[in-house]
Amino acid sequence: MRCYLYVYLLSTVFTFFFLLYAYSQLDSTLEDRDEWAGRGGRIAGRSSHEGGHALRKTPGVLGLRDREWGQNREKLSPATREPKNERSDLAVVACGPRLEETLTMLKSAILFSKKPLHFYIFAEDELHDGFRTALEMWPVPIRTMFTFTIYPIMFPEENASEWKKLFKPCASQRLFLPLILKQVDSLLYVDTDILFLRPVEDLWGLLSQFNASQLAAMAPEHEEPRIGWYNRFARHPYYGKTGVNSGVMLMNMTRIRERLFKNDMTAVALRWEEILMPLLQKYKLNITWGDQDLLNIIFHHNPESLYMFPCQWNYRPDHCIYGSNCQQAEEEGVFILHGNRGVYHNDKQPAFRAVYEAVKQYSFGENMETSLLQPLEAELQTTTQTYCGRSSHLFTKRLKESIRSV
């Protein structure tokens, strides 16, 4: 009998301490408001370069925590260590046959910038070696101007396939950048089909113009409502009169992570990581442009959070295909060229293709005026049969100043 009593007492003590431990773990979990709705999801699409690397416990999305990337952190050389002066952080997402286009975009960022850059490259695993090899082959003086990190494509494991196939492969990765890059305060995201015609730091400087409420900056989807898409066809809320285009998106990611967002799903404002999946589930049958539509819905309900920059920072075929309708570009030239609809790779808009080919074919170290600008101007003269070709002087107006100021 005494033996049974002894076993019972031991069992009671063990149960008490086990429950105490479990309660402390639950309490710790509940205190971490940044855990992704407490789901404990895992990352889908881990790169082979990161196998076996430990996760670092930090506040934020469970399963999208910062990684000690180790060998996956691709450094070019000791000469490319981060300079002490302020740099611009630029992110891009590349999937499928986008390697050359992305490298051309990065090249344009380097050509005119005077301050250091860091590239956050999110790409499918099979593209990693191509990026690394190409960037390491750039001349040493150019490599001293930037550093880069290559990341795998990462989505919450429980619905990774749904996010990855939204609109274009991997395009919705941009929605998760504030949750993955939690050590990064601010970030400039651009699509792969972007060409910089003005220094990156000039756009980066717009961060200082944000008021206390603003946490992201984009350009309007259209300037002319008569040809606008959202105001004519959208079956969901959108920002302002004509919506916004997310191909160039400047973000204060610290504010994004901290902000509570109003929405039309609940009376309770939600954090960024809490709003994304419910929003997709509600509107997935009504959206056409994927993650850009989700951003339009978010900023429709939170217009005070968005800073609008002019169309010359995101100049697309829509700004000239029916005649020029970007007034700021008319006055100051195009600052960023956005070749959406595949116009860099077909003959529909030869003026856009001419700029892309000129930047791609230019060799680092050559005189930019004679080897880039003059051949481009000559080629643009052959495109005047199109509306955009007739506006192509706007493409080189700012480019001339950028070249001469380098």
Side-chain angles (χ1 to χ4, degrees):
M1 185 67 178
R2 183 178 300 172
C3 179
Y4 285 117
L5 181 60
Y6 179 71
V7 171
Y8 173 76
L9 289 173
L10 280 178
S11 176
T12 302
V13 170
F14 176 80
T15 302
F16 172 77
F17 281 106
F18 177 80
L19 290 174
L20 184 64
Y21 172 78
Y23 175 79
S24 67
Q25 292 297 101
L26 177 61
D27 184 58
S28 175
T29 300
L30 291 175
E31 285 179 357
D32 192 351
R33 182 66 166 80
D34 284 338
E35 294 293 350
W36 197 344
R39 292 181 182 179
R42 295 181 179 179
I43 295 175
R46 291 180 59 180
S47 166
S48 60
H49 299 294
E50 50 146 348
H53 293 170
L55 295 178
R56 183 171 65 228
K57 174 73 168 128
T58 59
V61 178
L62 188 61
L64 285 178
R65 297 186 179 111
D66 290 331
R67 294 175 180 269
E68 293 287 1
W69 289 98
Q71 294 178 359
N72 193 52
R73 181 173 294 278
E74 306 297 342
K75 300 273 185 161
L76 290 173
S77 71
T80 64
R81 289 171 184 164
E82 181 181 334
K84 293 181 179 179
N85 51 322
E86 183 184 358
R87 75 183 190 191
S88 302
D89 287 342
L90 187 150
V92 65
V93 178
C95 286
R98 297 282 183 168
L99 176 62
E100 184 178 70
E101 184 176 270
T102 307
L103 288 169
T104 304
M105 179 276 292
L106 297 175
K107 184 180 184 180
S108 73
I110 288 290
L111 283 177
F112 311 116
S113 294
K114 303 179 185 66
K115 292 188 176 181
L117 297 164
H118 184 83
F119 301 140
Y120 294 90
I121 302 170
F122 286 79
E124 292 177 309
D125 291 355
E126 53 267 31
L127 297 179
H128 288 199
D129 287 343
F131 276 115
R132 185 185 310 107
T133 300
L135 292 173
E136 289 178 347
M137 288 179 63
W138 285 1
V140 172
I142 299 299
R143 299 202 322 254
T144 63
M145 301 169 62
F146 72 96
T147 54
F148 71 94
T149 313
I150 297 176
Y151 292 85
I153 299 299
M154 292 183 286
F155 293 113
E157 190 176 65
E158 59 199 34
N159 39 51
S161 61
E162 192 166 9
W163 284 114
K164 188 168 184 177
K165 68 184 180 183
L166 184 64
F167 184 44
K168 293 181 180 179
C170 308
S172 58
Q173 179 74 87
R174 83 187 84 183
L175 296 176
F176 298 94
L177 296 181
L179 310 176
I180 299 171
L181 302 175
K182 291 193 297 296
Q183 80 282 9
V184 178
D185 176 69
S186 296
L187 188 72
L188 172 60
Y189 166 85
V190 296
D191 286 347
T192 60
D193 52 7
I194 289 296
L195 289 173
F196 290 92
L197 305 181
R198 183 171 174 173
V200 175
E201 58 264 23
D202 291 351
L203 178 55
W204 188 261
L206 296 182
L207 285 165
S208 64
Q209 298 185 23
F210 284 16
N211 62 31
S213 299
Q214 291 163 337
L215 47 76
M218 286 181 276
E221 174 68 15
H222 286 281
E223 277 61 43
E224 175 51 68
R226 289 177 295 177
I227 60 173
W229 193 92
Y230 282 108
N231 56 294
R232 292 190 296 158
F233 306 116
R235 296 179 294 155
H236 58 78
Y238 56 89
Y239 177 87
K241 294 182 179 180
T242 59
V244 290
N245 183 282
S246 59
V248 180
M249 185 176 179
L250 185 62
M251 295 177 277
N252 182 320
M253 299 208 298
T254 299
R255 290 184 180 181
I256 291 176
R257 288 185 288 263
E258 294 174 350
R259 189 67 53 86
L260 293 172
F261 293 89
K262 301 184 293 292
N263 60 89
D264 58 2
M265 299 173 292
T266 172
V268 178
L270 300 174
R271 289 194 183 278
W272 190 257
E273 63 268 25
E274 297 169 333
I275 200 172
L276 296 177
M277 194 61 200
L279 208 60
L280 177 61
Q281 294 301 329
K282 178 173 181 177
Y283 286 105
K284 63 182 178 181
L285 299 179
N286 298 88
I287 59 178
T288 302
W289 309 113
D291 55 306
Q292 177 173 292
D293 290 347
L294 297 182
L295 289 168
N296 266 280
I297 296 168
I298 290 173
F299 288 111
H300 169 85
H301 295 292
N302 301 270
E304 73 286 351
S305 297
L306 190 62
Y307 177 97
M308 295 295 291
F309 51 66
C311 48
Q312 69 215 82
W313 287 109
N314 188 349
Y315 190 94
R316 305 178 303 284
D318 286 339
H319 290 116
C320 55
I321 195 172
Y322 305 113
S324 181
N325 60 74
C326 177
Q327 183 62 37
Q328 293 88 345
E330 289 280 351
E331 297 171 359
E332 301 178 285
V334 174
F335 296 168
I336 290 179
L337 199 68
H338 185 176
N340 63 346
R341 302 180 181 177
V343 295
Y344 293 154
H345 312 293
N346 58 45
D347 296 323
K348 293 181 179 179
Q349 295 299 331
F352 279 76
R353 183 170 184 170
V355 180
Y356 175 78
E357 290 294 329
V359 175
K360 185 180 75 171
Q361 294 173 16
Y362 169 79
S363 296
F364 285 119
E366 294 182 348
N367 182 287
M368 281 198 282
E369 190 143 1
T370 58
S371 298
L372 173 59
L373 180 60
Q374 291 176 7
L376 173 59
E377 288 180 319
E379 184 62 27
L380 289 174
Q381 289 299 313
T382 69
T383 70
T384 54
Q385 76 277 11
T386 66
Y387 279 115
C388 288
R390 292 169 200 159
S391 298
S392 63
H393 61 284
L394 305 180
F395 298 1
T396 56
K397 187 173 185 177
R398 179 65 208 196
L399 179 61
K400 292 177 183 178
E401 296 180 31
S402 297
I403 288 174
R404 291 164 184 167
S405 65
V406 172

